[in-house]
Amino acid sequence: MNRQLAASVAGGLAAPMCTLRQRVKAWARACWWGSASSSRDGVRRPAAALHARRNLLILAALAMILATPAAAHAYVGPGAGFAFLSSFLTLFLAFVYSCFAFVTWPVRRIIRWVRGYKAYRRAKVKRVVIIGFDGMDPDLAVRFMEEGKLPNLARLRDSGTFHRLATTCPPISPVAWSSFMTGVNPGKHNIYDFLSREPGSYLPSLSSAQVRGSKRKLKVGKYAIPLGRPRVRLLRKGIPFWHFLARSGIFCSVIRVPITFPPEKFNGVLLSGMCVPDLQGSQGTFSFYSTAGSGTQPVEGGVRIPLLAADGWLRSYIPGPDNPLVRRKREQLRIEFRLRPDGARDGAEVELNGRRLFLRRGEYSDWIELKFKAGLQVTIQGICRFYLKTLAPYVELYASPVNIDPGRPALPISHPLIYSVYLSKLLGPYATLGLAEDTWALNEGALDDEAFLKQCYLIQDERERMFFDALEKTRRGLCVCVFDITDRIQHMFWRYLDPWHSPSCSAQGGSRYAGVIEELYERMDELVGRILERAPDAVLMVVSDHGFKSFTRGVNINSWLWQNGYLALKEGARPGDPWFAGVDWQRTRAYALGLNGLYVNQSGREPQGIVSPGKETQQLKQELAEKLRGLVDPATGRAPITQVFDRDRAFRGPYRENGPDLILGYAEGYRAGWDSVTGRVTETTFEQNSKAWSGDHCVDPRLVPGVLFSNRKLTCESPAIVDVAPTVLEWFGVPLPAYLDGKPWGLNGGACQ
Amino acid sequence: MDALRALIDRTFDLFFRPFRDIHPAYGLSAASFVTGVMAMLVFRYASNQPAMRRAKSRIQAHILELRLFPDQPGVVMCAYGRILRFTGAYLVHALRPLLILLLPVAIIMGQLDLRFSHLPLRPGELFIVKAELADPLAVDSSSLAVPRGLTLTAPPVHIPALQEVDWRLRADGYGEFLPAVIAAGHAFPKRVVVSNGLVRLAVRRVQAHLWERLLDPGEEPMPAGSAVRAIEVGYRPRIIDLGRFQTGWLGFFLVASLVSGWMVKVMLRIEL
């Protein structure tokens, strides 16, 4: 039948001398034959046949257009005008670009040769692929491999390499990944925690990057128009090893390695990872909407906003960034939206930014483009996802933090800048926030376990697509990608794995979620399998920055310092205020900030320091270390701190002074309490961790090594994460900078240095 | 078909009535705007907008790929191939609305051509009436019946090689006139318009075929197989005067409809 159709149309088109009427007849006959056949046989036409018919119709239409005598008659309105014009321009542009790329390729090669780039000349490898599974635990990996659940990782272990990989002190992701990329200890890269002390105050600030508005502004009426881009400064020091590779002409693709925001320039492509802020400038502020509440309330990591009924709709808003154009008072930009529950369809209709969309209960929406209008035709673009949690008795809606739109980034999140745009055009919008998996939303009950898992895997799918695109583009060179999902799910689901965890946390759905971490490892193993399949020639390394342990008991070090006379509160001040609000610094000798850090209130360094540097500080550190090592949890009878590390011994390098004076190494099951991290002094030193965040790694680094797998036999004794950078440089034949702390591993039985 | 043609003529007459005695750019602008809006709405509702958006995004992505990976000839080649592929996909998605628009835009352009391609005659203006005859032997025997209001100013010119006879006439006053070519014993009238407004002008009257009826819709066609193949009146072509810039109606229409289409596209967020 299709052959007959084709013949009739082709006949009509092929005869150049036939009249237009004949051609139209041929087309009409083809159409008629098509419809007649479907009605005659009464059978649903298969998709292929329908496509064939559609294609024939298109061909016929094209023929009609081409056969029309006057040029004017070929113009079928502005729609077609745009379509053909843009297509032609696209092809023309692409042609020019590709010609340019081909013609200049030898020239570029010559320039590189003249400049002394000796890419691959001394390389032992052609392509290195490094997969980072943030927080993959060696004990769990071994257990699951022995149970036969991780066949691909087991294959790597058996035919290549498997080791425990020593982490950094402290074993926190930003610290460990900074050492991974720079090959140095924290004293040389300046990252000791997520937070660092703001010089001149006792307030914390983000340790890795500083974002400030434009320096110069044009003040016009109520507006202050920025005359330049926001100033984004990377606070991490040290040079990532891919910069050395790039200088030698080796192409590198770096995807979502933590502490790469803002992206640095080098000859390769990079998408920033952990510590990329959201549009509000925070590390992730979700919005939770409910008809139950009446006022807007900030919660940990987010904000609760009421849904107010009006005209049969529920109205609310999405909070955005502060208006960068407003001169005097702080004004937060918002996008209003309205929502109408539809019980019959088990969802709700949402109107936002002039668009309508339908949300199904229990499902995430696609990424929604948000345009915050600042005035003067300035818009700031972001993206978010909705999750309709419940419809009854209350309507509850979750909105993810507003991510920087990768297609129109408000801040640079990639190098080159167009790389994030390219990925967005290729794969669609994707999560750009550093900590995109919303652990706080689960902690605060804005998301349930199921919703959190769905979110994690949606993000993971995006990242896998990005990674495989980068792998395809990196036929020679280095391809690095860090997947965060392993860290986030273990943080939030460890309670189902650990029988000793708080029963209140694991009461609901324990059996249902008991296998979540196991499934996670299986998914990662399957990913490794796909990588091996797609890049059989590459040297593959699978690394993690640390392992995991249970977090059942929190230790509030500031409370302990207060109770033991090292920290004092102002007269009349009540315990419980965050960020040291009630602390009397004139009588305080030490304070804790961040996950593992303890600082001496040293004169000349701290704004109101009272402890002299040198001997007095050293004595105080020694005293604190001894007392903390002897601390006992009365509820369990166990010592919560196994080791206290002195900064002067733990770190070497020019930035050692910026680190905490003491690093606390917690025992398994313990970690800094939630209040302690935010500088809150409470009545009790110990607390039961009742949050969903139930696994952690901010403990004694010796307890939480990471993993090292490879498809090659690597010669390495006591490998550490700091060794990765010199190893890769050595394999590519790039000279190692003298300041590196790590030691390269031997490849295929070669000796390690 | 004739009833449909008459209906279309009347509809367009009604549309252009407010613009009859003013600068032709106004009427043409209005028609261009309507065409732009109509075309955009057709694209909005008849095309697969998400698929078009995806195809466009993919094209843009692969163009960026050329910039991002210029040192990798394999990637560049692949990207170029994909650009071709997705441009094809994009055009396929654009074809459905294009097909829907084909007939209405052809009709609109035919009607615009009738009104804007030529100027009507002015009183006192000399013009040529040209007849193409089917039979070369009828060239010498054919004649022209001239109604009152038109004056024959010279004897006919017979061109047997082209089977053509030309008459030179003068318009004496405003109005619509029907001079008739007499050939093989039959009269074939042709409408001649003398006016200073925006009116429908059929330059040629042709024999009846479906396609000619659509593309030359100004005047009822002559029966197929007539002794006269076509009659043509020598109206002067119209130039749209935009101050320093002068253009034909088609150029004006192309630009104006593209601009109005673009505005509608932006306002209604139509993917194109």
Side-chain angles (χ1 to χ4, degrees):
Chain A
M1 177 62 227
N2 288 332
R3 211 174 296 150
Q4 194 178 353
L5 266 171
S8 65
V9 174
L13 298 177
M17 297 305 288
C18 67
T19 64
L20 180 66
R21 187 185 289 183
Q22 283 170 317
R23 290 173 198 203
V24 173
K25 273 184 183 171
W27 173 60
R29 196 166 56 235
C31 293
W32 185 84
W33 270 109
S35 60
S37 75
S38 75
S39 61
R40 264 206 304 263
D41 53 27
V43 178
R44 195 174 167 188
R45 193 180 302 283
L50 283 171
H51 285 166
R53 187 181 156 193
R54 192 186 67 183
N55 292 342
L56 287 171
L57 279 171
I58 289 163
L59 276 175
L62 267 175
M64 268 185 76
I65 295 164
L66 294 173
T68 316
H73 297 136
Y75 175 76
V76 282
F82 284 127
F84 285 104
L85 205 67
S86 58
S87 301
F88 172 75
L89 280 174
T90 303
L91 289 176
F92 180 72
L93 197 71
F95 181 72
V96 170
Y97 249 112
S98 45
C99 283
F100 181 78
F102 278 115
V103 169
T104 57
W105 184 71
V107 180
R108 289 197 302 271
R109 292 286 294 209
I110 291 167
I111 290 171
R112 260 201 228 108
W113 182 76
V114 170
R115 281 187 179 177
Y117 291 165
K118 296 177 181 68
Y120 308 104
R121 191 173 291 175
R122 287 192 289 268
K124 297 174 191 165
V125 291
K126 183 182 158 197
R127 174 158 67 158
V128 173
V129 178
I130 304 177
I131 300 301
F133 288 135
D134 195 315
M136 181 176 263
D137 185 64
D139 293 339
L140 284 184
V142 167
R143 180 174 133 193
F144 295 142
M145 281 192 290
E146 281 170 4
E147 289 171 7
K149 287 166 183 157
L150 311 178
N152 295 301
L153 289 173
R155 185 149 56 105
L156 294 183
R157 177 194 60 186
D158 298 339
S159 61
T161 301
F162 169 61
H163 276 293
R164 282 161 206 271
L165 189 66
T167 182
T168 50
C169 176
I172 309 175
S173 293
V175 186
W177 288 115
S178 295
S179 288
F180 159 84
M181 72 178 96
T182 58
V184 296
N185 82 93
K188 293 177 185 171
H189 64 55
N190 197 36
I191 302 292
Y192 298 94
D193 198 329
F194 281 98
L195 300 176
S196 68
R197 203 173 31 156
E198 183 80 42
S201 78
Y202 294 93
L203 293 177
S205 60
L206 190 66
S207 65
S208 59
Q210 190 181 59
V211 183
R212 287 185 181 167
S214 174
K215 209 171 187 177
R216 292 165 58 207
K217 291 188 174 182
L218 176 68
K219 290 170 184 168
V220 183
K222 67 170 186 174
Y223 294 110
I225 303 158
L227 298 174
R229 311 178 85 173
R231 288 170 294 160
V232 190
R233 197 158 70 98
L234 179 66
L235 302 176
R236 192 212 67 233
K237 310 296 180 188
I239 302 169
F241 66 91
W242 45 81
H243 285 227
F244 295 108
L245 296 178
R247 278 180 212 164
S248 300
I250 293 159
F251 186 79
C252 305
S253 297
V254 182
I255 309 289
R256 292 208 47 105
V257 174
I259 320 299
T260 49
F261 172 81
E264 299 162 288
K265 286 182 184 174
F266 75 110
N267 179 27
V269 292
L270 178 145
L271 183 71
S272 298
M274 180 187 282
C275 287
V276 172
D278 64 6
L279 215 56
Q280 290 190 29
S282 72
Q283 288 297 304
T285 304
F286 68 84
S287 305
F288 184 66
Y289 305 91
S290 173
T291 47
S294 57
T296 301
Q297 295 170 337
V299 291
E300 207 73 62
V303 58
R304 279 176 187 270
I305 305 172
L307 283 167
L308 302 173
D311 314 328
W313 291 79
L314 298 170
R315 291 172 187 273
S316 196
Y317 65 91
I318 298 174
D322 286 344
N323 190 339
L325 301 182
V326 169
R327 196 169 160 182
R328 290 189 184 92
K329 61 180 181 183
R330 186 171 172 255
E331 177 191 297
Q332 192 181 39
L333 298 173
R334 293 175 168 192
I335 291 177
E336 309 282 336
F337 72 89
R338 56 183 197 164
L339 174 144
R340 185 160 54 194
D342 186 344
R345 292 163 69 194
D346 198 22
E349 197 178 352
V350 173
E351 260 190 25
L352 178 146
N353 260 0
R355 281 180 56 195
R356 263 183 192 212
L357 54 135
F358 189 78
L359 306 177
R360 289 195 182 285
R361 189 175 58 82
E363 284 180 21
Y364 280 93
S365 68
D366 289 333
W367 286 107
I368 300 161
E369 284 182 11
L370 302 173
K371 286 184 183 178
F372 293 93
K373 292 178 182 167
L376 301 174
Q377 296 298 312
V378 173
T379 55
I380 303 165
Q381 296 202 201
I383 51 169
C384 85
R385 265 194 168 127
F386 280 128
Y387 179 82
L388 184 62
K389 194 177 171 193
T390 59
L391 284 168
Y394 303 110
V395 177
E396 290 183 331
L397 175 72
Y398 160 86
S400 71
V402 182
N403 285 226
I404 291 171
D405 183 348
R408 296 174 190 82
L411 289 173
I413 54 167
S414 68
H415 172 76
L417 190 68
I418 57 164
Y419 187 57
S420 73
V421 183
Y422 157 73
L423 288 173
S424 171
K425 298 282 179 196
L426 187 73
L427 312 169
Y430 54 87
T432 55
L433 180 62
L435 302 163
E437 300 86 354
D438 204 342
T439 51
W440 277 114
L442 178 55
N443 263 347
E444 293 296 320
L447 290 178
D448 52 29
D449 288 345
E450 195 64 42
F452 178 77
L453 272 179
K454 274 187 190 173
Q455 186 185 54
C456 288
Y457 281 112
L458 281 172
I459 294 168
Q460 175 66 11
D461 287 345
E462 291 171 358
R463 306 228 166 118
E464 286 183 16
R465 290 204 299 273
M466 278 176 209
F467 164 71
F468 280 110
D469 180 67
L471 190 65
E472 186 194 311
K473 301 292 179 305
T474 319
R475 297 273 172 208
R476 293 212 303 175
L478 171 76
C479 184
V480 192
C481 184
V482 173
F483 295 97
D484 300 327
I485 188 169
T486 31
D487 181 76
R488 307 303 182 270
I489 287 185
Q490 290 186 100
H491 271 304
M492 307 313 285
F493 286 86
W494 199 273
R495 60 206 148 114
Y496 296 117
L497 202 69
D498 178 10
W500 299 104
H501 209 274
S502 165
S504 62
C505 287
S506 52
Q508 48 165 20
S511 58
R512 192 173 161 205
Y513 296 106
V516 163
I517 292 178
E518 189 179 305
E519 279 165 31
L520 169 73
Y521 276 64
E522 285 171 358
R523 285 270 307 242
M524 297 307 110
D525 178 79
E526 186 261 336
L527 172 62
V528 169
R530 276 185 286 148
I531 297 166
L532 287 168
E533 206 172 283
R534 297 238 199 139
D537 60 320
V539 176
L540 173 68
M541 277 201 279
V542 178
V543 296
S544 70
D545 55 336
H546 52 70
F548 254 85
K549 288 286 177 266
S550 180
F551 167 31
T552 52
R553 301 280 291 166
V555 187
N556 191 332
I557 296 297
N558 283 313
S559 302
W560 180 86
L561 291 169
W562 176 51
Q563 286 160 359
N564 288 274
Y566 295 102
L567 185 146
L569 293 179
K570 288 175 195 163
E571 288 212 5
R574 286 183 310 165
D577 291 335
W579 308 124
F580 308 111
V583 172
D584 183 351
W585 294 107
Q586 303 291 344
R587 296 189 292 129
T588 293
R589 289 191 289 158
Y591 62 99
L593 180 68
L595 291 159
N596 294 75
L598 196 152
Y599 296 86
V600 172
N601 190 21
Q602 195 175 290
S603 58
R605 188 182 72 181
E606 263 73 10
Q608 298 174 61
I610 58 167
V611 182
S612 304
K615 199 176 173 189
E616 192 185 351
T617 297
Q618 206 52 46
Q619 276 176 351
L620 178 63
K621 285 204 291 188
Q622 209 167 339
E623 183 184 323
L624 284 169
E626 275 170 23
K627 283 190 178 177
L628 285 167
R629 272 196 295 266
L631 186 64
V632 175
D633 178 1
T636 61
R638 291 173 56 206
I641 294 172
T642 54
Q643 185 59 280
V644 179
F645 300 91
D646 188 334
R647 177 188 76 185
D648 296 332
R649 283 185 212 134
F651 309 132
R652 302 172 303 284
Y655 306 104
R656 185 170 66 179
E657 293 297 312
N658 295 344
D661 294 296
L662 294 173
I663 308 289
L664 307 182
Y666 292 97
E668 186 175 346
Y670 288 86
R671 201 205 74 174
W674 292 106
D675 288 330
S676 185
V677 174
T678 54
R680 203 179 248 135
V681 182
T682 55
E683 301 280 1
T684 53
T685 300
F686 294 97
E687 64 189 13
Q688 188 69 21
N689 175 33
S690 56
K691 291 190 187 293
W693 184 292
S694 48
D696 216 297
H697 46 82
C698 303
V699 296
D700 185 333
R702 296 168 299 181
L703 301 176
V704 280
V707 299
L708 167 66
F709 288 92
S710 178
N711 59 349
R712 300 286 198 276
K713 294 270 183 212
L714 305 183
T715 316
C716 44
E717 283 172 25
S718 316
I721 195 161
V722 79
D723 298 336
V724 175
T727 300
V728 178
L729 289 176
E730 215 264 332
W731 288 353
F732 276 109
V734 175
L736 304 187
Y739 65 80
L740 293 187
D741 294 325
K743 299 279 178 279
W745 306 324
L747 183 66
N748 296 330
C752 65
Q753 293 175 20
Chain B
M1 176 58 78
D2 292 335
L4 178 68
R5 190 175 53 80
L7 179 71
I8 291 168
D9 283 348
R10 251 179 259 136
T11 308
F12 277 85
D13 284 345
L14 208 63
F15 178 84
F16 284 110
R17 183 168 289 172
F19 308 104
R20 205 163 58 180
D21 298 322
I22 55 177
H23 194 284
Y26 293 106
L28 200 50
S29 299
S32 307
F33 177 73
V34 171
T35 311
V37 172
M38 179 192 74
M40 285 301 125
L41 291 177
V42 169
F43 262 85
R44 167 75 183 79
Y45 293 107
S47 66
N48 183 346
Q49 290 276 297
M52 285 185 85
R53 195 172 297 128
R54 278 196 300 274
K56 261 180 77 175
S57 289
R58 290 298 297 265
I59 293 166
Q60 289 164 347
H62 295 302
I63 287 179
L64 291 174
E65 206 167 276
L66 296 175
R67 275 194 63 188
L68 285 166
F69 310 101
D71 291 340
Q72 301 179 48
V75 173
V76 170
M77 284 298 291
C78 252
Y80 193 69
R82 283 169 180 164
I83 288 168
L84 282 175
R85 183 178 141 204
F86 286 102
T87 304
Y90 171 72
L91 288 176
V92 166
H93 290 304
L95 270 177
R96 191 171 163 208
L98 193 144
L99 285 177
I100 295 170
L101 282 169
L102 199 64
L103 188 63
V105 174
I107 291 170
I108 290 172
M109 292 182 74
Q111 289 289 332
L112 293 179
D113 193 58
L114 281 179
R115 285 166 178 80
F116 294 100
S117 65
H118 291 86
L119 283 165
L121 299 167
R122 297 293 172 91
E125 187 176 338
L126 294 172
F127 65 99
I128 304 289
V129 171
K130 186 196 290 179
E132 288 171 35
L133 301 167
D135 182 5
L137 299 175
V139 170
D140 290 335
S141 61
S142 62
S143 63
L144 184 74
V146 182
R148 185 178 291 174
L150 300 178
T151 307
L152 202 60
T153 60
V157 176
H158 299 260
I159 312 167
L162 299 173
Q163 294 169 233
E164 183 183 311
V165 188
D166 295 352
W167 293 273
R168 192 170 73 182
L169 292 95
R170 186 182 65 231
D172 296 328
Y174 290 111
E176 284 192 22
F177 307 97
L178 283 172
V181 175
I182 315 288
H186 289 94
F188 300 96
K190 169 79 188 81
R191 197 166 70 106
V192 173
V193 181
V194 185
S195 168
N196 60 359
L198 184 66
V199 288
R200 228 179 330 124
L201 299 174
V203 176
R204 275 166 72 84
R205 188 180 177 206
V206 293
Q207 290 192 6
H209 294 295
L210 175 75
W211 197 243
E212 282 79 359
R213 281 181 186 211
L214 273 174
L215 298 180
D216 289 311
E219 207 164 343
E220 191 184 334
M222 295 177 289
S226 301
V228 178
R229 280 210 299 245
I231 309 169
E232 192 176 314
V233 176
Y235 293 112
R236 279 185 293 129
R238 187 197 287 270
I239 302 294
I240 310 290
D241 189 357
L242 304 166
R244 284 185 183 179
F245 191 70
Q246 293 178 329
T247 178
W249 76 270
L250 187 60
F252 186 97
F253 174 73
L254 286 173
V255 174
S257 60
L258 280 172
V259 169
S260 55
W262 179 79
M263 280 159 51
V264 175
K265 170 186 174 322
V266 172
M267 275 164 55
L268 301 182
R269 297 176 187 173
I270 296 167
E271 201 60 55
L272 195 62

